[in-house]
Amino acid sequence: MRSFPVFLILIFFAQIKVYAISRCEKEIDILLKSWNVIEDEVVMEDPALKKKWPTKVMGEWVTLQLKSEKIFLQKRMKRQNITVEFTDGCQQHVILSENAQVDVKESYTDTDLTNDIAEAKQQGKKLLIYLWSAHMNLSREELRQINDLQLKKTRLRILLDSNADKSIAITFLKKFKLASEFQKKNASVELLERNSSLHFPCHFVVDMNGKWLWVPGYVKPEDFKKVLSVE
Amino acid sequence: MNYFKKTLLVMMTLFSNANADPAFVPVDNGRILPDGNGRILPEGPKEIPNYCLEGQPWRSVTVQGAPNYFYKLHPDRDLLFYATDNGSLVYDLDTKQYRPIPSDQDVVPLGSDLVVTPHFQSSYETTGLEFYSVKEIMGQKATFPKKPYKSNIRPIFIDKKMTGMYPTTGQIQKNQFRVLVDDGYLKVRDYEVSNKDINAIGESQHLCKGEATTLKMPMLSKNGEFLAALDIKTATTKIFQLKKSDSDGSIICNLVHDLKISVSKADFSFDNSKLVFHKETSGPTEQFFASPLMENNGHMLGILDLKTKNFSWVPTGMANGHAWYPVFKKNGDILTEVVTPIKGTDSGRKSQFAIFAQPKSQSRTVKSDCSNRNDQLTMAIGALKMTVCKDWQTGNTDNGYLGRATPHKEILLNPQMSKNQCIEVIKDFWEQYKQQISKVVSYSVKNSGNKNTSTNNVDFSSTDKNELLHLCNTFE
């Protein structure tokens, strides 16, 4: 019984945070709709403070964040970000900022991803994206195993960890006579937003309805159907 | 520092209230004494302000041999076990010595005296689980081994029934240990270890039946009682309590908490009260870093308090946040691997291990355009702290790293500290550094993407420290 009041206090504070981030709901909803977010794909970054949504444009995401009791809604695009700060009365203060341009030459971009998804759909296939790292043993082993698979109903794209040492990756690919295209690094913002660099190996499956499945960690090829719902 | 002052500092620490925030930790002959949390700090200037332990590594060590991303830490000693392309190594953080281990896979401590590692015969077929003695490994001659790293020690036990393991173990009783396997289904195998023998306790047991194929990155608590894993059905990390089923002996997983967010392989604290992990972050990261220059998409370190279910975040102070798989040390500090690609090239990486103290105060935030005076002053406080602490970390006593290096976009301005610490750093160092701080903050604002050029040049040369001290009062 002694812990009961503490429990109540914790709930009280949790409610304050939830209440705070849900202020200006109507205004936020209008902006989210105008920014074309896919509402049912909301991702929590911190349950009390930060969440984000993909939009219908590959690589463009929207984040809602509570900071120091203020609410910020931000849309991140290729060249610039739009940040809207909501004041206490839900008035909107808009800030534009430019993004530093990163050299993505020879890397896999959001344009490549858009094309891959479209082509897989055209072929009546799912898209499986496999991300490996030269610095994770099991991801290298799975790369060799995937390479031996004959996937008929799945379009396969293999990408390298964007922070990998390419020279180590090339040595590995040569040693096991694997295709040099597997050294292409991921620079897709869409994949990064979907946690592609949290852990290696990492799998994404995009079905023909555009639904995503994210599976980090090693998967045996014989478990692909069970775990990844491919083939 | 004279003997009287040293003695006074030690006495102050010994007799101070545990909740008090002493200004300095005691120092002895340039080597700082354990500060009550078991830390043996590296050599450096003789006084280390406590705010330098907050929100940035108090120690970092560069390791050789191009480690893979994952590593394991010995439960009682600062021994790092890691795999490389040329074999596995153990690195002693205290003696700075390397020793080889006859494996090319992850080497995982099993209690204090043993390590286990899967043995691969050829291709990707595992032929068993090998057990090695830590005493024998550490008894080898310590030099940086020549590639490939060869070791002549032999396993003291091989479990040929095991087809590999997932790199996590638990000590379920004094002499009983638990090893996790993920071969499509999660399983555990328990072992009894005596002075002479290692014996498996029965067969491997299925774990989390029904969810066994949807749980990824499973990690056991130190006592093998809890499991943290990502559920791919919900894309959230969950914590389970493990209990043996009375009916078939399998291990049932009772859900105790859903984090509602997705995190990396997590590590439980030794008392199961906290969980630490890295988390990929994207977009605006000002919540965690006071610099608008933090590149998108990096890793930050998160801690979940398993009692209150609240998260706290550790600003790693590293651009692009390449911090991987943090773990708790016994004293509560957090160790993480930091992998930094060499700039301007696709090849080469620098691998370091950094140790952070658990944060006691909240990180501060600034608006991304830095047009607000308060935001600029907050950044100035962060820059000042980084300057002072960087001096201590690197052992330099000259003009500070701002005096040596041109401010560049990787300087992250982290003002995470308490109200008293904020007051202390300003009183001691503001006048000395304020002109250099102006350059750093101006540079940061200029490169923040802010289109308002009138705020690009920030000049603190006439800023009175009272203005900053006033801001300190808003720190928690």
Side-chain angles (χ1 to χ4, degrees):
Chain A
M1 288 301 287
R2 285 186 68 186
S3 63
F4 184 63
V6 176
F7 175 66
L8 273 181
I9 290 166
L10 288 175
I11 288 182
F12 175 73
F13 279 110
Q15 291 303 318
I16 285 179
K17 279 186 172 176
V18 172
Y19 171 74
I21 204 166
S22 63
R23 275 191 298 120
C24 311
E25 259 181 7
K26 197 176 151 193
E27 290 80 359
I28 290 169
D29 270 353
I30 292 169
L31 264 180
L32 290 177
K33 284 199 171 66
S34 73
W35 284 349
N36 288 323
V37 302
I38 304 170
E39 288 190 45
D40 59 357
E41 286 200 40
V42 61
V43 177
M44 292 291 174
E45 292 272 281
D46 178 323
L49 300 173
K50 192 177 176 187
K51 53 186 171 180
K52 65 180 183 180
W53 296 261
T55 68
K56 289 173 185 166
V57 179
M58 208 60 73
E60 293 188 1
W61 282 64
V62 171
T63 300
L64 177 67
Q65 191 171 4
L66 179 71
K67 294 190 297 183
S68 310
E69 301 305 317
K70 288 178 185 167
I71 294 174
F72 294 87
L73 196 62
Q74 185 183 58
K75 185 177 189 185
R76 297 184 300 285
M77 294 170 288
K78 195 173 178 185
R79 298 205 173 272
Q80 69 171 12
N81 299 332
I82 306 172
T83 307
V84 178
E85 179 189 339
F86 291 87
T87 62
D88 287 342
C90 294
Q91 289 187 327
Q92 298 170 25
H93 172 56
V94 181
I95 303 158
L96 293 177
S97 56
E98 284 175 10
N99 281 331
Q101 294 304 299
V102 181
D103 183 12
V104 292
K105 196 174 54 184
E106 296 176 16
S107 296
Y108 186 81
T109 63
D110 288 314
T111 308
D112 298 322
L113 177 61
T114 307
N115 293 340
D116 263 347
I117 292 172
E119 282 172 32
K121 194 174 177 181
Q122 210 169 30
Q123 294 163 353
K125 293 179 176 182
K126 288 181 177 180
L127 174 65
L128 168 62
I129 302 166
Y130 177 73
L131 287 113
W132 71 289
S133 175
H135 313 285
M136 280 293 219
N137 274 337
L138 279 175
S139 82
R140 303 196 303 194
E141 299 309 327
E142 192 179 332
L143 174 63
R144 294 169 60 199
Q145 293 170 327
I146 285 183
N147 190 57
D148 291 341
L149 290 178
Q150 301 292 324
L151 296 172
K152 290 175 185 163
K153 299 175 191 165
T154 309
R155 182 183 172 88
L156 177 65
R157 169 68 65 183
I158 293 175
L159 300 172
L160 177 64
D161 164 15
S162 50
N163 290 316
D165 183 329
K166 216 166 192 175
S167 65
I168 293 178
I170 291 168
T171 305
F172 175 79
L173 293 174
K174 279 184 181 163
K175 182 177 175 186
F176 292 100
K177 298 190 170 89
L178 296 167
S180 61
E181 68 178 73
F182 298 164
Q183 61 174 285
K184 185 172 249 194
K185 285 189 172 183
N186 173 39
S188 157
V189 174
E190 184 72 21
L191 295 180
L192 288 165
E193 292 280 4
R194 291 179 182 273
N195 275 336
S196 61
S197 291
L198 185 75
H199 180 76
F200 295 97
C202 173
H203 314 75
F204 289 102
V205 179
V206 188
D207 72 14
M208 282 182 287
N209 297 317
K211 285 281 173 204
W212 287 73
L213 174 68
W214 168 56
V215 181
Y218 174 73
V219 180
K220 277 185 174 176
E222 54 263 40
D223 292 333
F224 267 31
K225 192 170 184 180
K226 190 169 58 188
V227 180
L228 303 174
S229 306
V230 293
E231 293 300 286
Chain B
M1 187 184 295
N2 62 35
Y3 179 76
F4 173 74
K5 195 172 176 185
K6 263 196 298 185
T7 309
L8 184 66
L9 281 168
V10 172
M11 296 291 278
M12 278 169 61
T13 306
L14 285 175
F15 295 106
S16 64
N17 182 325
N19 294 322
D21 204 8
F24 297 102
V25 291
V27 176
D28 184 27
N29 295 329
R31 188 165 172 82
I32 298 162
L33 294 171
D35 64 351
N37 287 316
R39 297 186 187 99
I40 305 288
L41 302 173
E43 289 185 11
K46 291 187 176 182
E47 292 175 343
I48 165 193
N50 250 347
Y51 47 76
C52 292
L53 297 175
E54 184 80 8
Q56 63 186 72
W58 58 265
R59 184 177 177 188
S60 58
V61 180
T62 302
V63 293
Q64 303 299 318
N68 288 339
Y69 278 129
F70 200 59
Y71 67 94
K72 296 299 284 189
L73 180 68
H74 189 275
D76 301 317
R77 299 166 61 185
D78 281 347
L79 302 177
L80 284 170
F81 297 91
Y82 61 88
T84 79
D85 270 5
N86 295 293
S88 298
L89 293 169
V90 56
Y91 178 67
D92 188 327
L93 281 166
D94 288 332
T95 65
K96 300 184 174 73
Q97 291 175 331
Y98 297 84
R99 290 174 177 87
I101 302 167
S103 168
D104 56 5
Q105 302 297 316
D106 288 324
V107 176
V108 187
L110 192 69
S112 302
D113 301 331
L114 297 170
V115 292
V116 284
T117 183
H119 182 73
F120 280 70
Q121 189 173 43
S122 63
S123 183
Y124 30 80
E125 291 301 315
T126 47
T127 59
L129 187 66
E130 296 186 338
F131 292 62
Y132 289 91
S133 154
V134 172
K135 195 174 173 184
E136 282 186 35
I137 291 169
M138 298 312 292
Q140 297 174 101
K141 192 178 175 189
T143 52
F144 190 70
K146 286 181 184 168
K147 294 176 189 176
Y149 313 133
K150 295 257 181 191
S151 168
N152 293 323
I153 61 168
R154 309 292 305 161
I156 56 174
F157 177 68
I158 303 174
D159 184 347
K160 290 188 175 170
K161 282 190 174 176
M162 287 286 272
T163 53
M165 67 172 291
Y166 205 75
T168 178
T169 62
Q171 182 164 8
I172 49 181
Q173 284 183 35
K174 191 180 174 192
N175 295 318
Q176 288 186 6
F177 300 91
R178 176 164 282 174
V179 173
L180 191 93
V181 183
D182 181 6
D183 61 357
Y185 289 92
L186 294 184
K187 292 175 197 161
V188 291
R189 191 154 166 90
D190 295 342
Y191 296 89
E192 189 150 46
V193 178
S194 68
N195 286 339
K196 293 177 183 173
D197 295 313
I198 298 168
N199 291 302
I201 305 171
E203 297 298 318
S204 297
Q205 299 296 331
H206 280 282
L207 189 69
C208 312
K209 270 184 177 175
E211 291 172 292
T213 58
T214 64
L215 296 178
K216 307 302 288 180
M217 301 188 282
M219 298 300 284
L220 289 168
S221 63
K222 306 281 189 293
N223 65 353
E225 184 189 354
F226 294 95
L227 181 83
L230 180 97
D231 186 344
I232 60 170
K233 291 196 305 280
T234 56
T236 61
T237 300
K238 294 175 177 174
I239 297 172
F240 301 90
Q241 189 167 27
L242 311 183
K243 286 205 170 137
K244 203 159 196 165
S245 158
D246 292 333
S247 55
D248 62 0
S250 68
I251 311 277
I252 298 166
C253 298
N254 293 323
L255 179 69
V256 291
H257 185 55
D258 183 341
L259 275 64
K260 305 281 186 200
I261 61 172
S262 51
V263 305
S264 68
K265 284 178 189 171
D267 188 62
F268 287 87
S269 60
F270 281 76
D271 62 358
N272 289 334
S273 68
K274 285 177 181 153
L275 196 71
V276 66
F277 47 82
H278 75 250
K279 167 145 183 57
E280 194 158 345
T281 182
S282 56
T285 47
E286 309 93 286
Q287 182 185 338
F288 313 106
F289 300 86
S291 169
L293 300 174
M294 174 73 189
E295 291 174 39
N296 284 351
N297 301 100
H299 288 170
M300 59 192 171
L301 306 185
I303 302 166
L304 173 67
D305 186 316
L306 291 169
K307 285 178 190 151
T308 64
K309 308 294 190 283
N310 285 335
F311 292 95
S312 52
W313 305 99
V314 183
T316 56
M318 285 165 275
N320 220 7
H322 302 283
W324 290 86
Y325 306 113
V327 295
F328 278 111
K329 284 162 59 71
K330 233 173 197 168
N331 66 2
D333 281 354
I334 296 161
L335 181 135
T336 186
E337 184 177 6
V338 182
V339 183
T340 318
I342 293 171
K343 277 204 173 289
T345 166
D346 255 348
S347 299
R349 310 186 328 153
K350 184 179 179 187
S351 291
Q352 290 176 299
F353 287 89
I355 303 177
F356 292 83
Q358 277 190 50
K360 289 178 185 162
S361 48
Q362 293 293 317
S363 57
R364 310 287 302 176
T365 65
V366 294
K367 261 190 285 179
S368 57
D369 69 343
C370 301
S371 57
N372 177 300
R373 175 71 173 169
N374 263 13
D375 287 344
Q376 291 171 1
L377 293 176
T378 305
M379 290 181 76
I381 294 171
L384 183 63
K385 175 195 161 186
M386 293 291 275
T387 308
V388 173
C389 296
K390 197 78 180 178
D391 261 5
W392 164 72
Q393 278 181 330
T394 54
N396 286 309
T397 52
D398 60 11
N399 208 18
Y401 84 129
L402 293 182
R404 295 188 301 279
T406 308
H408 62 97
K409 70 175 193 171
E410 281 195 14
I411 294 175
L412 297 171
L413 314 174
N414 169 20
Q416 185 177 29
M417 56 191 143
S418 69
K419 176 182 163 182
N420 288 343
Q421 290 170 342
C422 177
I423 291 168
E424 183 187 327
V425 72
I426 289 163
K427 279 187 174 170
D428 289 351
F429 296 106
W430 176 249
E431 294 303 329
Q432 185 181 343
Y433 285 119
K434 65 183 182 184
Q435 288 200 334
Q436 286 153 302
I437 300 296
S438 302
K439 287 182 201 165
V440 179
V441 176
S442 296
Y443 186 86
S444 291
V445 173
K446 201 173 170 182
N447 288 278
S448 68
N450 176 23
K451 289 178 176 172
N452 184 357
T453 49
S454 65
T455 58
N456 275 353
N457 285 317
V458 185
D459 185 2
F460 295 118
S461 56
S462 60
T463 301
D464 187 79
K465 66 182 173 192
N466 285 325
E467 194 179 354
L468 289 131
L469 290 172
H470 181 68
L471 188 60
C472 289
N473 288 323
T474 65
F475 282 47
E476 289 171 13

